Amino acid sequence: MALTTGFTLSDWQQHYRQQPEAVLTTLESVLDALSTEDNAWIYLATPAQIRAQVEPLLAAWHQDPSSLPLFGVPFAVKDNIDVAGWPTTAACPAFSYQAAADATAVANLKAAGAVVIGKTNLDQYATGLVGTRSPFGAVKNTFNSDYVSGGSSSGSASVTARGLVCFALGTDTAGSGRVPAGFNNIVGLKPTKGWLSATGVVPACRLNDTISLFALTVEDAFLAASCAGGYDASDAYSRRNPGLAPAALPAAPRLAVPATLEFYGDVQAQAAWEKAAAALQAAGATLHPIDFSAFHQLAEQLYYGPWVAERTVAVGTMLDRPEEMDPVVYGIVASGHNYSAVDAYKAEYLRAELSRQIQQTLSQFDALVVPTSPTIHTLEEMKLEPVRFNSQFGTYTNFTNLADLSALALPGPFREDGLPAGITLIAPAWHDRALVTFGQRWQASQALPLGATGRPTPTAHIALPSSSLHVRVAVVGAHLTGMPLNHQLTSRDAVLVEETTTAACYRLYALAGTTPPKPGLAKDRDGAAITVELWDIPLARFGEFVAEIPAPLGIGTLALADGRQVKGFICEPAVLAEATDITESGGWRNWLARKETPNV
């Protein structure tokens, strides 16, 4: 195997920092270690295709290394996503075509420096959660070859879990980016619909498809998604992030959990979940049982109702050639002809009603947590009940895209038989970053191996890139934690980042006649460092927050002790003559404490 097996993104960055010129020889060695006999792959790059991707990178690297955060990092692409000049099969050889252009997400990743090493196996037309419905063969579980890998993104999950690539693209309509993550002990990021463009993706259910990310670590999945995503006018369903979601989940989140969990008699899956629930509570989360009936009802719509006709549309004329299709996939997709336009409209009305119930339920919590899958089955068992067992795998995934939710599948405590289990966090659209912040803490706390590589998970997580969708605000007085106006931040999903101090060039004043009492901060070269709290507030809520600030206060730019500059409270100089200079206290909280205990 290549020396780079199991490399995380930080490992790759360190490797190339020392020897960027070795990018071609490094990737050639990665390619040499891969085998076409490994049915997780449908297509492997040729040496010429690797060179064609690498040669432009070196010139760009020497000009501006910071523009290539994924420089030389190999990744895999599910074979229902286009790579220019390569075949796209969707695991149906009769459907195969030569892609004229990269899918937008692939093009974005290449622009960030990543290199496509191969295309991966899948349940045909991305129809299934099992990884067995492919003419290229069933992809086996990376921990026990008797068991399924999960699907439909089976190959992408397998090559990631084994550390053959740093990350891989999958797709996720009903759980295809989460179930195989859970079955293979890796991270599966199911982004908000519309964040990653679907241009260049063979549709399964166009209204509910999204490209997903597999990685060994949470931060690698998020950074890859951040590079791959963005608004794309060529995709009619692409959309811009409105900047309303929190930057992080609280350190002690309130997590909804189904009041009754179904494991279909799998006592080992249930025991693994109970260990995970205990670990969540030990880490400070509180679990709140909820009525899960609306979620279950919505999940059933995806395959047992008119929504299946979306798959019928996607497959098109291939239905005229049933002998060229997997028989289980054909049976599912052909059933879409059983529904009328009237049925479809009724199904959409029901989806909207159930989604509204789900959104209202989730608004009371920071996220929902569920088992990624309630059970797992062997390859032989799947042959006996291919549809029923597939449906079981989707119990806690099928509703997510129908309800326009974001999701993150995380490794969790293993089953007693040595198989991975995993948990999934689910939240409203555009909460992807918030889920990732929780996922980082969770993954660092679990001491699990990275996928199936045997490598330990790093205990120190990598800082996420700064967010352009949040404003970092320094508060100095009545908006501090526990103070009377703190609710103006928390009610707008602002998240506390840290307590720190300003640069030593400010003076703090207790203003006269303000209700509630407030301080004023003014820049002064003879000043001192003043204690502040930093909060990240969603960009779209920042204007509302500023609108509530009364004169003589306002928002300007503050300098912090470590050189950072952030938005923060400032005060009009005209009122300071009547204010009390309290700079010597070092902060508003200190001054209030001294007022209350003047003899101390």
Side-chain angles (χ1 to χ4, degrees):
M1 297 300 291
L3 294 176
T4 57
T5 298
F7 265 22
T8 64
L9 180 56
S10 62
D11 293 328
W12 279 106
Q13 290 169 335
Q14 178 63 29
H15 175 75
Y16 287 131
R17 194 174 294 120
Q18 297 171 351
Q19 44 185 338
E21 302 293 341
V23 58
L24 182 57
T25 56
T26 298
L27 293 177
E28 286 175 338
S29 71
V30 171
L31 185 61
D32 287 343
L34 304 179
S35 171
T36 54
E37 295 182 4
D38 177 353
N39 77 347
W41 301 105
I42 288 179
Y43 182 87
L44 286 171
T46 65
Q49 288 169 332
I50 295 295
R51 284 196 301 275
Q53 294 180 77
V54 166
E55 286 172 356
L57 292 182
L58 276 173
W61 171 269
H62 289 303
Q63 287 186 350
D64 182 12
S66 65
S67 69
L68 299 171
L70 303 179
F71 175 79
V73 176
F75 74 105
V77 177
K78 186 177 181 180
D79 198 27
N80 60 343
I81 304 171
D82 287 347
V83 176
W86 297 21
T88 299
T89 71
C92 182
F95 173 79
S96 180
Y97 62 89
Q98 200 83 352
D102 288 326
T104 300
V106 172
N108 290 346
L109 288 165
K110 285 183 175 180
V115 176
V116 185
I117 205 84
K119 300 193 76 179
T120 55
N121 203 352
L122 65 149
D123 285 319
Q124 191 175 77
Y125 291 111
T127 301
L129 294 172
V130 289
T132 64
R133 301 171 178 175
S134 170
F136 299 98
V139 177
K140 297 176 180 178
N141 188 283
T142 55
F143 284 81
N144 185 331
S145 60
D146 290 336
Y147 283 81
V148 298
S149 60
S152 62
S153 307
S154 52
S156 288
S158 176
V159 300
T160 303
R162 288 181 281 153
L164 306 183
V165 293
C166 181
F167 67 90
L169 297 184
T171 60
D172 191 316
T173 302
S176 295
R178 289 162 281 161
V179 169
F183 287 173
N184 292 279
N185 190 46
I186 56 175
V187 174
L189 174 60
K190 200 292 299 175
T192 296
K193 288 190 300 181
W195 176 19
L196 274 66
S197 170
T199 296
V201 179
V202 177
C205 297
R206 193 177 176 200
L207 290 175
N208 293 292
D209 293 337
T210 181
I211 289 178
S212 65
L213 280 297
F214 295 103
L216 295 172
T217 69
V218 176
E219 50 265 23
D220 284 5
F222 184 73
L223 181 57
S226 299
C227 292
Y231 178 73
D232 178 13
S234 71
D235 175 8
Y237 293 101
S238 179
R239 50 185 180 162
R240 301 183 193 276
N241 190 324
L244 290 165
L249 292 193
R254 300 179 71 252
L255 301 178
V257 63
T260 301
L261 284 159
E262 175 62 74
F263 294 96
Y264 301 100
D266 190 334
V267 295
Q268 295 203 35
Q270 183 173 356
W273 163 256
E274 289 170 354
K275 290 179 185 177
L280 287 166
Q281 292 171 310
T286 53
L287 304 185
H288 302 267
I290 60 168
D291 179 357
F292 209 63
S293 56
F295 297 81
H296 274 311
Q297 189 178 357
L298 186 59
E300 291 171 353
Q301 305 307 306
L302 200 57
Y303 281 105
Y304 297 103
W307 284 100
V308 77
E310 266 213 282
R311 295 185 182 271
T312 312
V313 172
V315 172
T317 57
M318 282 302 301
L319 284 174
D320 298 332
R321 302 160 66 184
E323 71 281 358
E324 303 283 2
M325 293 181 63
D326 177 273
V328 176
V329 172
Y330 175 81
I332 293 167
V333 175
S335 70
H337 287 303
N338 298 332
Y339 301 98
S340 69
V342 172
D343 295 328
Y345 276 112
K346 288 180 178 179
E348 166 55 18
Y349 301 154
L350 177 60
R351 184 209 62 79
E353 292 166 2
L354 293 171
S355 295
R356 178 58 57 85
Q357 293 178 41
I358 288 169
Q359 297 285 351
Q360 289 175 333
T361 296
L362 294 184
S363 69
Q364 304 169 61
F365 306 99
D366 296 306
L368 166 72
V369 62
V370 292
T372 299
S373 173
T375 187
I376 189 170
H377 288 284
T378 66
L379 295 166
E380 290 303 312
E381 288 169 344
M382 287 305 308
K383 293 176 182 178
L384 301 175
E385 293 280 1
V387 175
R388 182 164 71 92
F389 289 163
N390 181 92
S391 179
Q392 291 176 357
F393 294 165
T395 301
Y396 300 113
T397 61
N398 282 358
F399 58 83
T400 308
N401 280 346
L402 286 169
D404 195 17
L405 306 173
S406 55
L408 179 66
L410 296 166
F414 276 54
R415 299 158 50 106
E416 289 298 323
D417 57 11
L419 287 169
I423 64 171
T424 293
L425 274 289
I426 299 172
W430 304 112
H431 282 56
D432 311 83
R433 184 187 182 95
L435 293 180
V436 164
T437 62
F438 174 87
Q440 286 184 295
R441 299 194 299 267
W442 169 260
Q443 194 172 22
S445 73
Q446 290 304 291
L448 295 169
L450 289 174
T453 67
R455 296 185 63 198
T457 297
T459 54
H461 60 253
I462 308 300
L464 299 182
S466 59
S467 171
S468 62
L469 294 166
H470 298 89
V471 180
R472 185 153 292 179
V473 180
V475 298
V476 70
H479 289 87
L480 294 167
T481 301
M483 295 292 176
L485 298 182
N486 183 249
H487 67 91
Q488 292 182 351
L489 288 165
T490 57
S491 66
R492 294 181 171 92
D493 287 326
V495 176
L496 177 64
V497 178
E498 61 179 300
E499 181 179 276
T500 186
T501 61
T502 67
C505 57
Y506 291 92
R507 301 200 73 81
L508 188 66
Y509 298 84
L511 300 178
T514 57
T515 304
K518 302 180 185 71
L521 191 69
K523 199 164 187 178
D524 190 318
R525 63 183 179 184
D526 295 324
I530 303 299
T531 299
V532 294
E533 287 181 352
L534 302 184
W535 289 74
D536 280 349
I537 186 168
L539 180 62
R541 310 300 300 273
F542 181 60
E544 300 173 20
F545 175 68
V546 172
E548 289 192 339
I549 299 171
L553 300 177
I555 293 290
T557 300
L558 301 186
L560 302 180
D562 60 7
R564 287 178 292 170
Q565 290 194 332
V566 297
K567 296 303 176 186
F569 279 84
I570 57 175
C571 185
E572 296 174 8
V575 301
L576 298 182
E578 299 177 0
T580 302
D581 189 330
I582 60 171
T583 305
E584 185 271 337
S585 68
W588 182 244
R589 205 184 295 277
N590 291 344
W591 184 74
L592 290 178
R594 291 179 187 180
K595 275 187 64 179
E596 293 170 0
T597 55
N599 296 323
V600 175

